[in-house]
Amino acid sequence: MNRPPSGTRRTRVHVVSDVHGNVRDLARAGEGADALICLGDLVLFLDYADHSRGILPDLFGTENADRLVALRTERRFEEARVLGARLWAGIDGDRTEVIEQAVRRQYAELFAAFPTPTYATYGNVDVPHLWPEFAREGTVVLDGQRTEIGGRVFGFVGGGLRSPMRSGYEIGDEEYAAKIEAVGEADVLCTHIPPDVPELLYDTVARRFERGSRALLDAIRRTRPRYALFGHVHQPLVRRMRIGATECVNVGHFARTGTPWVLEW
């Protein structure tokens, strides 16, 4: 991005991702900024650092949450699914309705904490069809779309790719690539998941590779945005790297640090 002439007003944007229920810090995340950008994963299903927090331990207890985390960390995903199915069998009511009621409770607090303006897209654990209930005036939801902030073009692509985790908003590679294509060129490309680069995908605490997008990587190389911002991997092996002319930055640490990443021009 070119710097504005001396003496003109600068623009400051704060960027967060992977909020995972951190309402307290989200309410302060826009302080001092012209806009807040949120790259998804508002919901907290299970806190891998504190297994007593989230929708799953609220429903099934901390001991079962411990077991689920252990199985997933050991990549025993089929056993984790069997355990999950057994736990859900003991819950009264429709599974989807129970989850959505819990998600609604979290969304009511989280969306109320967004400052104006906020530009947001979905994460892989979000429930997109519920967002219109809570996105008040001043919150702009974008997915496969662009907008202008302070004279710069920002592109947004939400969601994740299908994985063994089978989280809520995972889509196929072709559908995801179509959203990347729809965005086209942008000064800042904002996505929930990283480009498909091993160093950006490995979570050093969960000890596994998350899924990244090859279409996103190709778009970065082709369109050369100034920045590519993303989250999804909470403790990445590498938080920042250059791909050609593009500075790629993982901003997915908000749940733990409560601190937004700052972009200013």
Side-chain angles (χ1 to χ4, degrees):
M1 295 182 181
N2 296 322
R3 293 295 185 187
S6 178
T8 61
R9 186 180 182 279
R10 299 171 68 83
T11 298
R12 181 183 176 98
V13 172
H14 290 179
V15 188
V16 303
S17 184
D18 299 83
V19 175
H20 293 302
N22 189 347
V23 176
R24 182 193 62 185
D25 291 321
L26 185 62
R28 301 193 295 257
E31 292 178 357
D34 296 287
L36 178 71
I37 289 175
C38 179
L39 303 184
D41 271 10
L42 296 177
V43 176
L44 179 62
F45 278 98
L46 179 58
D47 188 335
Y48 277 66
D50 180 355
H51 304 168
S52 68
R53 298 180 63 245
I55 292 173
L56 293 184
D58 286 348
L59 290 171
F60 307 128
T62 302
E63 183 177 342
N64 284 316
D66 290 340
R67 296 172 65 193
L68 282 169
V69 169
L71 290 172
R72 291 175 179 178
T73 301
E74 294 168 11
R75 302 187 63 81
R76 295 158 62 186
F77 296 117
E78 185 57 37
E79 291 176 66
R81 280 192 287 272
V82 170
L83 173 59
R86 182 171 61 78
L87 293 174
W88 279 109
I91 296 292
D92 292 331
D94 178 77
R95 174 176 175 170
T96 299
E97 291 180 1
V98 170
I99 291 175
E100 291 193 357
Q101 286 175 4
V103 170
R104 280 188 170 95
R105 288 192 290 271
Q106 291 192 17
Y107 277 167
E109 292 186 284
L110 290 158
F111 277 88
F114 277 147
T116 297
T118 292
Y119 301 87
T121 196
Y122 316 113
N124 61 293
V125 302
D126 283 311
V127 185
H129 75 266
L130 295 182
W131 281 36
E133 296 181 29
F134 301 96
R136 59 185 179 174
E137 185 177 357
T139 298
V140 181
V141 180
L142 300 149
D143 188 17
Q145 298 163 290
R146 300 187 299 178
T147 192
E148 185 177 300
I149 305 172
R152 306 303 184 194
V153 176
F154 286 69
F156 292 80
V157 175
L161 295 174
R162 293 194 179 107
S163 75
M165 300 296 287
R166 297 185 182 179
S167 51
Y169 188 44
E170 293 183 348
I171 61 177
D173 290 68
E174 290 185 3
E175 184 179 350
Y176 192 89
K179 294 197 293 184
I180 292 287
E181 185 68 23
V183 167
E185 295 186 3
D187 298 303
V188 184
L189 187 52
C190 301
T191 60
H192 178 68
I193 62 173
D196 189 10
V197 177
E199 294 89 341
L200 299 176
L201 299 178
Y202 187 73
D203 191 307
T204 60
V205 174
R207 302 196 304 275
R208 65 170 180 261
F209 286 95
E210 303 289 353
R211 284 213 63 191
S213 170
R214 172 59 59 173
L216 173 58
L217 177 60
D218 292 344
I220 289 170
R221 289 171 171 163
R222 183 178 67 254
T223 64
R224 298 164 60 88
R226 179 66 180 87
Y227 288 96
L229 309 178
F230 48 85
H232 187 53
V233 183
H234 297 169
Q235 297 89 198
L237 184 64
V238 174
R239 289 199 175 275
R240 190 165 185 156
M241 68 162 36
R242 294 194 71 83
I243 297 176
T246 303
E247 189 75 11
C248 298
V249 184
N250 182 308
V251 300
H253 49 72
F254 188 77
R256 179 175 55 84
T257 68
T259 303
W261 188 77
V262 177
L263 177 61
E264 191 172 21
W265 66 94

